[in-house]
Every structure is written in C-alpha cells, then in structure tokens.
Amino acid sequence: MSPGPFVSFVPPPRLLMGPGPSGVDPRVLAAMARAPLGHLDPAFTSLMTDVAAMLRQVFGTGNPLTLAISGTGTAGMQAALANVVEPGDAVVVGVCGYFGARMAEMARRLGAVVKVVEAPWGTPVPAGAMEAALRATDGPVKVVAIVHAETSTGVRQEIEAIGRLARARGALLIVDAVTSLGGLPLSVDQDGIDLCYSGTQKCVGAPPGMAPLTAGPRAVEAMKQRRSPCTSFNLDLLQLESYWGAAKSYHHTAPINAVYALHEALGLLLEEGLEARHARHRRAHEQLARGMEGLGLEFLVAPADRLPMLNALRVPDGVDDGAVRGRLLTEHNIEIGGGLGPLAGKVWRVGLMGYSAREENVARFLTAMRIILGAPRMSRPRKPAPTA
Ligand SMILES: *Cc1c(COP(=O)(O)O)cnc(C)c1O
C-alpha cells in the first residue's frame, strides 16, 4: 500500500455477462449492507428458517434438510459428495465439460471408485451411455452424479431419465444445479434428485458466497448409515441441519450478511415467479440468438441442448479471443467469459443470468460486439494464401 490517505476500493461499473458472478439487484446489495446480527440471535435464526422455506420452493422440494452452505458452489459440490461417498464406493459421473470433471475428481479424492461416462464438450451425456455404465458396474453403485447446466459449454442435461436409472440401480442421484437454479425449470422431487446444490451468484441473483443445498430422505439415510462420520467437519450436513433446522445450535458462524443477500434475492425471485423468471432467461437468450445474425457468430451447441443462461459462441476464424474480451471490458465495461479446457480460445461464454438476463444488456452487448468485430484492428493478420 502506498503512503498517504487510505483510498476505499470502488469497483468499476462492469456489466457482468460472463459465466458468473452475474449482476446483483440494488435491493440485494442494500440488504447486504445492513448491520450484522449475532448468528444465534432469534431474529437471525428466524431469517434462516425463512431462507430455507424459500429455497424449498425454488428447488421444488419438500425436503426438511434444505439450507445454504457457507461457501461457493464448489463447497456445495464438496458437501454433496463428501456426505454420502465413502472410500471404496462406486460412483458414476457423467462428464461433458469442466464441472462434471470436477465432480469426478472430488469423488476420486474421497476414495471412491469412479466411473466416468464421457461425452464430447458441447453435447449432453446420453442417458443410454449412463445406463450402459451402470449395467457394466459390478456390485452396488452408491452415487450417480451429473451437472444440470454445464457452464463450461452451455449444454443443458436432461435429468429425469438419469434419475430413473439411478433409482432402479439403488444409487443416489446428485445434481449440480449451480448455473440452472433460478434460470431453468428444475424440480428436485419430481426429477428424483437425492442431493442437489447450487450457488448464489449465477441465476439466483446474489453475490458469490453461499451454496443452496437440499438433501432428500434417501440421502439423509445414507448419511446416517455411514461407517464413519463425514470427514469434513465444516460441511457435515447432519450437523449443519442442527444449525439450520429446529435445534438452532451453533456449528459455525453463518456469513450473516450473505444470508441477508440470499433472503432478498430469493424474495425477488419468488415475487417475479419461477415461470416468469425462466421465461425472462429464455427471452434474453432468444434476443441474443436473433441479434447474433449478421455478426458472423454461431452457437457451439445444437438448438435442442442449449442453455438460455450460458451461451457458448464460437470465436470466428481470424479473430483474437483475448483481444475482443479485453476491448469489451476496457472500452465497454462488459465482462464475458473465455473458453475452458479444450474450448480455450475457441468460444466466448456469454452469461444471461439472474439480474443480468435483461433486454437492455443483450442490446448493449450486441452493439459493443458490432463495434469491436467491425473494427479491422480486431483481426489477426491472416497467413498469406499458399501460392501454387
Ligand atoms: C460456477 C459453477 C460451479 C462452481 O461454483 P463456484 O461458486 O465457482 O465455486 C460448479 N458447477 C457449475 C456447473 C458451475 O457453473
């Protein structure tokens, strides 16, 4: 730090249109700025009870064990896996992108015998391939894990058929809904999901920091039947239940202001209505798709498998990925994402999530892209055509 008076950090006014975090409604920011309460203050614990009830509505579940983990989406993933997976358990994971691969890696680190069912990045995992993998696995399968909305590719995964397969095999179904919750229809109870987690900073519309999670009766039973307690004290769901549930007994200090923010974001979400909200995400996506015509941009993913809230657009030939994103940020104050893994340098990831999923934002992004892609200095010099 330089000598002289301390200068507060004031973030530049970015429009967040990447893979998350997404923009936050000023009402949510205002809620977050209120004075913290004690973590066992009855006014705060009753707020937690309200948050849990709202989360049940958003998840489409009656599960008593529904709460928000203190930590980001990755902590939700860790909590879901670590509470039911024990060393030696068979776990089947569908992987068609970065986050599916992360689930597989976490299960491996928990000592599971992991079978990965892979599909190319840009397509979903076929239910038939999951079925074949389950059939080819000897002995019991503890968990089937899949990502609902693969943020690295913009692919939507059908859950229901995989839920049926998992149940028929006596396995628990864990679904990553980090990007889908609040943006895409999801019903934990109807889709037969045993453990589902999300994050606050994508379509839920709060800043990053918490991971909504719900666990059904079969998952709770598996936790109770463990040979040894969950190795993570911090993420032990049975203990967390005694903090979020009726007992209200101390486990850790909840991030009080993040809970205020989540409460406000969920209130706004439910006031808008789940269906209206999903429709808003779809409209923003359709507006983007229409506006892309004439810009030379194409989707990575086939229409039937596209996510509304995460649009992977192919970087046109001869265009410098990093330079375009750099200009969007510095000249237009718009953040979008680049590609991950095999898609690095090949796609842009345009997020239309939560508060960011609005017509005016899509229009602003399209205008900026028109300016940037129209400017000749965007193109890398092409190699001269080979002479015969
Ligand atoms: C963002 C994301 C995560 C990880 O969430 P963090 O909040 O970054 O920890 C996990 N899964 C999916 C599908 C995501 O999009």
Side-chain angles (χ1 to χ4, degrees), residues 28 31-32 51 54-55 67-69 199-200 204 206-207 210-212 244 256-268:
V28 175
M32 205 171 191
V51 167
M54 288 163 143
L55 284 176
L67 46 74
I69 299 280
T200 45
V204 172
M210 301 206 83
W244 279 82
I256 310 293
N257 295 57
V259 178
Y260 295 172
L262 179 56
H263 177 261
E264 191 77 12
L266 292 170
L268 294 174

Side-chain angles (χ1 to χ4, degrees), residues 213-293:
L213 179 146
T214 185
R218 298 193 324 146
V220 171
E221 192 51 31
M223 292 175 214
K224 290 183 175 158
Q225 296 300 323
R226 288 181 65 102
R227 297 186 292 276
S228 58
C230 174
T231 52
S232 170
F233 184 96
N234 191 35
L235 299 174
D236 183 332
L237 287 171
L238 294 178
Q239 289 194 60
L240 287 173
E241 168 61 6
S242 64
Y243 182 25
W244 279 82
K248 307 287 184 220
S249 60
Y250 170 70
H251 173 266
H252 70 278
T253 306
I256 310 293
N257 295 57
V259 178
Y260 295 172
L262 179 56
H263 177 261
E264 191 77 12
L266 292 170
L268 294 174
L269 194 166
L270 292 168
E271 182 181 74
E272 180 177 1
L274 278 167
E275 272 175 35
R277 181 130 171 151
H278 301 151
R280 174 160 64 78
H281 282 82
R282 223 169 32 243
R283 276 199 310 278
H285 163 77
E286 284 160 5
Q287 186 193 352
L288 176 71
R290 281 193 307 275
M292 271 163 43
E293 284 173 26

Side-chain angles (χ1 to χ4, degrees), residues 19-20 71-77 99-100 102 147-152 176-180 197-202 208-210 353:
T72 66
T74 306
M77 187 187 289
F99 290 103
R102 177 176 286 193
V147 177
H148 186 207
E150 182 47 83
T151 320
S152 60
D176 176 314
V178 175
T179 283
S180 56
Y197 60 88
S198 186
T200 45
Q201 80 275 25
K202 300 194 183 179
M210 301 206 83
M353 301 181 179

Side-chain angles (χ1 to χ4, degrees), residues 25-119:
D25 190 305
R27 273 180 64 178
V28 175
L29 294 177
M32 205 171 191
R34 291 176 192 137
L37 286 166
H39 62 286
L40 295 176
D41 187 311
F44 182 68
T45 54
S46 90
L47 183 76
M48 292 168 83
T49 303
D50 287 351
V51 167
M54 288 163 143
L55 284 176
R56 282 182 201 103
Q57 288 188 55
V58 177
F59 272 124
T61 186
N63 291 338
L65 203 170
T66 301
L67 46 74
I69 299 280
S70 304
T72 66
T74 306
M77 187 187 289
Q78 186 82 45
L81 287 162
N83 276 274
V84 294
V85 173
E86 292 188 82
D89 284 348
V91 173
V92 175
V93 188
V95 177
C96 60
Y98 180 89
F99 290 103
R102 177 176 286 193
M103 289 177 106
E105 173 61 15
M106 269 189 194
R108 263 181 229 114
R109 290 192 188 193
L110 289 164
V113 179
V114 177
K115 183 172 284 186
V116 164
V117 182
E118 256 181 300

